[in-house]
Amino acid sequence: MFINMKRTATLATIATTAYLTGAYFEKQKIFQKHKFLQNLDSRPGLPIFGTVSAAVPMTTDELKSSATSRISQIMKYGFPGLDNVRSYSDYVLSYDRRNRVAHWVFEHLTAESIKSNDKVDRSKCDFRSDESIHPFFRSENTDYKKSGFDRGHMAAAGNHRLHQSHCDETFFLSNMAPQVGKGFNRDSWNRLESYVRKLTKIYPNVYCCTGPLYLPKREPDGKMYVKYEVIGSNTVAVPTHFYKVVVGETADGHLEMEAYIMPNQIISDDTPLTVFQVPAETIERSSGLLFFDKINRKQLTKINGRKC
Amino acid sequence: MFINMKRTATLATIATTAYLTGAYFEKQKIFQKHKFLQNLDSRPGLPIFGTVSAAVPMTTDELKSSATSRISQIMKYGFPGLDNVRSYSDYVLSYDRRNRVAHWVFEHLTAESIKSNDKVDRSKCDFRSDESIHPFFRSENTDYKKSGFDRGHMAAAGNHRLHQSHCDETFFLSNMAPQVGKGFNRDSWNRLESYVRKLTKIYPNVYCCTGPLYLPKREPDGKMYVKYEVIGSNTVAVPTHFYKVVVGETADGHLEMEAYIMPNQIISDDTPLTVFQVPAETIERSSGLLFFDKINRKQLTKINGRKC
């Protein structure tokens, strides 16, 4: 997966420009079609980003450049895929328009970004539909209502505590997937999220990629089938599993990886998280994505807790 | 869906560059990893295209520009989506790496391109894996073996009769999906393909987009589920349905659209094709794609045979 760094840097620039351009035009097209949206989100010159908070008011150019550099930081080790990429102020997402759930969500965590902050109040955040997604492919709160599933965060709210707006933006429904509530979202999945946050005590930089899986299962007829429920009038897919691929960067630049798959079902609280560890390749093959592809896997000094 | 034509032209240029760049780098990365592939496909300066046939040998630059203009022609009315786009000499494809089947395949048919041609022999074509796809996500002939399914063309071989290489390239497995053979691929689906070819008698230009669908069904528990088989060690998805969205452009520039969904199952030969007509929006919502989005739907003078 390693390609030389110079080419990689060029690639990143080209790719970022392409995604941002794509995102920009998609939004413009939607605005063209649904002019009423323009009033809701029409920051001139900064059309693709969400709210960027700052103590001192910045110019549009400053905002743009600060947001762009944050995206470069989050995506430092590569994009897992390029389908419908969207950047928010503190995370980046690729949206699966067929399943109305993200393909992947990328975050960069530091001790500072996860520290509890009096100025950020999660209870002020509202689950709301993401109007940057074309209405045909957008999930709505009504889809989840009476479905029996939680609106489970992919980028966890607790990972984005620097600004109220960072926390707010994790409540876009594009960042949600239908998750079993009790025993999963509120319990074992939450345990995994807390564990990832704690990694910032060991690593100054933690890169975390999260997303859904739709895994096949052998049925009594001996054949393999992918089967998943879809909920609401927008037929939002209920993933069979979720994954996290995490890379910790040590102060001296060593890179260590952990990868997890958890079934979207009730999991006993006493199940150790290590039970869910898998080789990253397993997730790659199932999801159609390539994680951290700017890192040569041979560069990793530890994988799932084992020295390489 | 209409956006002004000037912006559209700029968009097309930017987008095409971005896709081509993406495709180029993906291929380069694979080459970097699997150096043995370089001998198989390493036309310098023309890395993303397949073979381009020509009676008179062309320079690399001429080949590149002729291939690029062919792609612009095929994609004249917009890309349905931007995920893993690949261009071949006479069709363009977007690959679904999770399902190992295309999202969509785009063709431009004319009376000339479908005319039978002594120099093109279908029996010389071999089904072969597409090495431009990362090995994790590539379907192989072995996946189809003993699966009970045909390797069904998305871009039909019979639509590409100008050059042997055009026909050859439709045999890449990236252009195949598992289809029920008797009663579907060899019968009613084939009837639909022939019908589309016949449209070139009415329209000088026919644009055809083809792909798979994975449609949900209500089960006895009252809930909706998407369920599909996956075959072989690469777990190639067996679509529940296939679609075609076709636009005919008349000599005086009128645009007429037809859209079809056919279930991937035995269909009685006497079922009229009109039974399978649906509004294009139905396919868009199910597939996560937007078809012919450079055409304002109000510009269409006929949809599914009815005057608008």
Side-chain angles (χ1 to χ4, degrees):
Chain A
M1 305 218 170
F2 180 72
I3 47 178
N4 81 55
M5 293 313 285
K6 212 161 171 185
R7 184 187 290 156
T8 304
T10 321
L11 211 180
T13 315
I14 293 168
T16 308
T17 313
Y19 313 138
L20 300 186
T21 310
Y24 171 80
F25 280 108
E26 180 142 351
K27 204 156 188 176
Q28 288 302 307
K29 270 159 63 183
I30 295 169
F31 283 167
Q32 204 77 24
K33 203 174 170 189
H34 303 274
K35 289 201 187 295
F36 66 92
L37 290 180
Q38 282 179 336
N39 300 327
L40 303 177
D41 188 351
S42 63
R43 195 177 302 248
L46 188 70
I48 60 157
F49 305 111
T51 318
V52 178
S53 281
V56 182
M58 292 197 220
T59 67
T60 303
D61 278 353
E62 280 169 344
L63 278 171
K64 205 168 171 179
S65 115
S66 116
T68 307
S69 85
R70 181 66 184 130
I71 296 165
S72 309
Q73 192 174 32
I74 297 168
M75 302 314 298
K76 181 176 176 188
Y77 291 116
F79 285 72
L82 308 184
D83 195 27
N84 295 294
V85 175
R86 272 157 169 70
S87 16
Y88 301 86
S89 44
D90 206 37
Y91 68 96
V92 178
L93 175 150
S94 160
Y95 194 72
D96 179 353
R97 301 196 301 190
R98 186 169 67 217
N99 279 342
R100 320 350 178 164
V101 163
H103 288 295
W104 55 261
V105 173
F106 230 99
E107 300 168 276
H108 168 241
L109 280 65
T110 62
E112 198 200 8
S113 73
I114 61 144
K115 208 164 55 187
S116 58
N117 177 347
D118 289 347
K119 290 179 197 146
V120 176
D121 183 354
R122 188 183 161 141
S123 70
K124 283 187 191 154
C125 301
D126 285 323
F127 291 97
R128 62 192 191 282
S129 62
D130 184 343
E131 291 180 335
S132 80
I133 308 285
H134 188 288
F136 285 3
F137 315 129
R138 202 187 285 162
S139 63
E140 303 284 351
N141 281 316
T142 47
D143 294 318
Y144 285 85
K145 218 171 177 177
K146 292 186 185 166
S147 71
F149 292 99
D150 276 12
R151 291 164 292 191
H153 282 72
M154 297 292 93
N159 297 352
H160 304 275
R161 287 170 169 164
L162 267 183
H163 300 286
Q164 182 66 37
S165 67
H166 290 187
C167 183
D168 284 350
E169 287 193 0
T170 68
F171 281 76
F172 277 129
L173 290 177
S174 48
N175 181 43
M176 303 296 154
Q179 289 190 326
V180 168
K182 225 179 138 187
F184 185 76
N185 180 36
R186 305 169 208 171
D187 299 293
S188 284
W189 182 251
N190 187 42
R191 261 199 298 145
L192 179 57
E193 289 177 335
S194 304
Y195 169 77
V196 172
R197 271 195 288 279
K198 277 185 203 134
L199 291 176
T200 58
K201 291 183 183 175
I202 306 171
Y203 308 101
N205 292 294
V206 173
Y207 296 88
C208 179
C209 185
T210 306
L213 292 171
Y214 308 90
L215 298 188
K217 233 167 96 173
R218 196 169 299 280
E219 294 209 354
D221 65 2
K223 296 177 183 171
M224 299 284 284
Y225 294 90
V226 168
K227 183 180 180 182
Y228 53 91
E229 192 180 342
V230 293
I231 57 172
S233 61
N234 295 303
T235 58
V236 180
V238 181
T240 62
H241 295 70
F242 290 92
Y243 69 81
K244 275 194 190 283
V245 185
V246 187
V247 163
E249 193 184 55
T250 64
D252 58 356
H254 283 292
L255 298 168
E256 306 185 347
M257 179 183 273
E258 297 182 17
Y260 298 85
I261 295 182
M262 271 192 177
N264 189 12
Q265 58 192 49
I266 296 171
I267 294 168
S268 165
D269 279 343
D270 54 9
T271 317
L273 291 175
T274 48
V275 164
F276 304 104
Q277 286 183 339
V278 294
E281 187 181 316
T282 305
I283 308 175
E284 291 181 316
R285 288 183 181 270
S286 311
S287 62
L289 303 170
L290 294 169
F291 301 106
F292 297 96
D293 73 342
K294 286 195 201 168
I295 303 174
N296 182 342
R297 292 279 153 95
K298 286 178 193 158
Q299 277 181 275
L300 296 170
T301 48
K302 227 186 234 180
I303 296 177
N304 287 336
R306 286 191 180 194
K307 284 203 175 156
C308 308
Chain B
M1 304 218 172
F2 181 70
I3 46 176
N4 80 55
M5 293 313 284
K6 214 163 171 187
R7 185 188 289 158
T8 305
T10 321
L11 210 180
T13 316
I14 294 168
T16 309
T17 313
Y19 314 137
L20 300 186
T21 310
Y24 172 80
F25 280 108
E26 180 143 350
K27 205 156 188 176
Q28 289 301 307
K29 270 159 61 183
I30 295 169
F31 282 168
Q32 204 78 22
K33 201 173 171 193
H34 303 274
K35 291 203 184 295
F36 66 93
L37 291 179
Q38 283 180 334
N39 300 327
L40 303 177
D41 187 349
S42 63
R43 193 177 304 248
L46 190 70
I48 61 156
F49 306 111
T51 318
V52 179
S53 281
V56 182
M58 291 197 222
T59 66
T60 302
D61 276 352
E62 280 169 346
L63 277 171
K64 202 168 172 180
S65 113
S66 117
T68 307
S69 83
R70 181 66 183 129
I71 296 165
S72 309
Q73 192 173 32
I74 297 168
M75 302 312 300
K76 181 177 176 186
Y77 291 116
F79 286 73
L82 307 184
D83 195 26
N84 295 294
V85 175
R86 272 159 168 68
S87 17
Y88 301 86
S89 44
D90 207 36
Y91 69 95
V92 178
L93 174 150
S94 159
Y95 193 72
D96 179 353
R97 301 198 299 190
R98 185 169 66 216
N99 279 341
R100 316 1 173 157
V101 162
H103 288 296
W104 55 261
V105 172
F106 230 99
E107 300 168 276
H108 168 240
L109 281 65
T110 62
E112 198 200 9
S113 73
I114 62 143
K115 208 165 55 185
S116 58
N117 177 348
D118 288 347
K119 289 179 198 148
V120 176
D121 183 354
R122 186 183 163 139
S123 70
K124 282 187 191 155
C125 300
D126 286 321
F127 291 97
R128 62 190 190 283
S129 63
D130 184 342
E131 290 180 336
S132 80
I133 309 283
H134 188 289
F136 285 4
F137 316 128
R138 203 187 284 161
S139 64
E140 303 285 352
N141 281 315
T142 48
D143 294 318
Y144 285 86
K145 217 170 177 178
K146 294 186 185 166
S147 70
F149 292 99
D150 275 12
R151 290 163 294 191
H153 283 72
M154 297 291 92
N159 297 351
H160 304 274
R161 287 169 169 165
L162 267 183
H163 300 285
Q164 183 66 37
S165 66
H166 290 187
C167 184
D168 284 350
E169 288 193 359
T170 68
F171 281 76
F172 277 128
L173 290 177
S174 47
N175 181 43
M176 302 297 155
Q179 290 190 325
V180 168
K182 223 179 140 187
F184 185 77
N185 181 36
R186 306 169 208 171
D187 299 293
S188 284
W189 182 251
N190 187 43
R191 261 199 298 145
L192 179 58
E193 288 177 335
S194 304
Y195 170 77
V196 172
R197 272 195 288 279
K198 276 184 205 136
L199 291 177
T200 59
K201 290 182 183 174
I202 306 170
Y203 308 102
N205 292 293
V206 173
Y207 298 88
C208 179
C209 185
T210 307
L213 292 171
Y214 308 90
L215 298 188
K217 233 167 95 173
R218 196 170 298 279
E219 295 211 353
D221 66 3
K223 296 177 183 171
M224 300 284 285
Y225 294 90
V226 168
K227 183 180 179 182
Y228 53 91
E229 192 181 341
V230 294
I231 57 172
S233 61
N234 295 303
T235 59
V236 181
V238 182
T240 62
H241 295 72
F242 290 93
Y243 69 82
K244 274 194 191 285
V245 186
V246 187
V247 164
E249 191 184 56
T250 64
D252 58 358
H254 283 292
L255 298 168
E256 305 185 348
M257 179 183 273
E258 296 182 19
Y260 298 85
I261 295 181
M262 270 193 177
N264 188 13
Q265 57 191 50
I266 296 171
I267 295 168
S268 164
D269 279 344
D270 54 11
T271 317
L273 291 175
T274 48
V275 164
F276 303 104
Q277 286 182 340
V278 294
E281 187 181 315
T282 306
I283 309 175
E284 291 181 316
R285 288 182 181 272
S286 310
S287 62
L289 303 170
L290 294 170
F291 301 105
F292 297 97
D293 74 341
K294 286 195 202 168
I295 303 174
N296 182 340
R297 291 278 152 95
K298 287 177 191 156
Q299 276 181 279
L300 296 170
T301 48
K302 225 187 236 180
I303 296 177
N304 287 336
R306 286 192 178 191
K307 283 202 175 155
C308 309

